[in-house]
Amino acid sequence: IFASDEIFYNFFKKNEKHFKNSFNILMSDHGHRMNSFSLSEMGRYEQKNPYFIITIPEELRFNEQLIKNLKENSKKHISHFDIYATLLDLLTNAPKDGFKMLDKQKKFPIKNDTIKGLSLLRPLPIYNRSCYEMFIPPQYCLCKPKFELLPSFMAKERAQIEKNFIKALNNKLVEGNLTDKCAEMKLDRSEEFKIMFARDKNSKIVYQVDAVTIPGKARYQVMMNKNFEILNNEIIRFSVYKHQAEPCENFSFYRIYCYCKILLHEK
């Protein structure tokens, strides 16, 4: 966060007078993912576990039920769906009831929408909900399944996973209309192409793939289903990309998959 320290400092200083009478939420879209730590088991866990903090108005800091709920919920498994439900609660039910009657979840006065989360202002279930119950896709789930290395005799599966991965990665450049600027990616055969697999509660197999590509030695991770399709079509990059992508592209989301062709001519 150090790169943005001054921005945050100026924002908080400018709005300091509002904090005493406001709910304040500071959160991130993902956890740490840009150096060797992200390749460790704890690093993989943390990149799915973004920073989240909430402060409440001074006048509510003596609301015993609210404080109790927030403290207990801070130790439980939550998701962004719950944060959405919390924001909705702050705009509807909670202020309408004067932030009282917070002893149970309450139905929202919303039509034509399915609220998948639960408000953090109110008690969550005593047990920790599963990712399935919380509508969390496998690639974001913090409940770690038992992954094992893909056996060597599953060579056919390995070949298909390699083929599908590199095809999907290069297709990102096609989707972003960046093929004129960015080099085609290939697997770096000097690095391990690591495939792990696990089974969920329904015995469905899921693959976790770690790969390094050239040019640029970019590190990626994907999750695949039994048909070797990338879950949610999401390819997560674990290595920095600014110096490889921004010499030719500054704005496209797909630049995270780019190694500028102009850099090839500099070598």
Side-chain angles (χ1 to χ4, degrees), residues 75-100:
K75 302 172 185 177
K76 294 181 178 178
H77 188 200
I78 67 171
S79 79
H80 286 76
F81 290 127
D82 298 322
I83 296 171
Y84 176 79
T86 303
L87 294 173
L88 201 55
D89 203 3
L90 286 172
L91 293 171
T92 57
N93 293 332
K96 183 179 179 182
D97 296 333
F99 291 93
K100 299 176 181 178

Side-chain angles (χ1 to χ4, degrees), residues 64-81:
E64 293 183 4
Q65 182 70 64
L66 175 60
I67 297 299
K68 179 175 181 288
N69 292 342
L70 288 172
K71 284 186 175 181
E72 290 184 354
N73 292 341
S74 71
K75 302 172 185 177
K76 294 181 178 178
H77 188 200
I78 67 171
S79 79
H80 286 76
F81 290 127

Side-chain angles (χ1 to χ4, degrees), residues 196-253:
M196 308 280 283
F197 76 99
R199 295 186 183 276
D200 62 19
K201 291 182 179 180
N202 298 316
S203 295
K204 292 182 179 179
I205 195 167
V206 60
Y207 298 97
Q208 177 178 286
V209 181
D210 290 275
V212 181
T213 61
I214 52 175
K217 283 193 174 291
R219 294 185 177 274
Y220 296 101
Q221 184 180 92
V222 300
M223 303 285 279
M224 290 185 176
N225 62 21
K226 64 179 182 179
N227 298 318
F228 313 117
E229 299 165 332
I230 294 178
L231 298 181
N232 204 37
N233 195 30
E234 181 175 36
I235 302 176
I236 298 173
R237 179 162 181 162
F238 282 129
S239 53
V240 294
Y241 57 85
K242 182 176 181 178
H243 64 292
Q244 296 182 357
E246 295 189 0
C248 63
E249 178 55 54
N250 289 305
F251 303 106
S252 172
F253 165 78

Side-chain angles (χ1 to χ4, degrees), residues 26-34 37-38 40-53 73-80 82-83 120 128 131 134 136-144 221 234 236 238:
L26 181 63
M27 59 188 292
S28 175
D29 56 342
H30 59 76
H32 191 85
R33 65 158 63 156
M34 284 300 178
F37 172 69
S38 64
S40 67
E41 184 176 355
M42 181 57 70
R44 296 180 196 282
Y45 181 88
E46 284 300 324
Q47 71 94 8
K48 301 176 185 177
N49 191 30
Y51 182 86
F52 174 76
I53 187 171
N73 292 341
S74 71
K75 302 172 185 177
K76 294 181 178 178
H77 188 200
I78 67 171
S79 79
H80 286 76
D82 298 322
I83 296 171
L120 301 178
N128 264 329
C131 291
M134 297 167 68
I136 301 174
Q139 65 268 35
Y140 300 125
C141 185
L142 292 175
C143 306
K144 297 182 289 185
Q221 184 180 92
E234 181 175 36
I236 298 173
F238 282 129

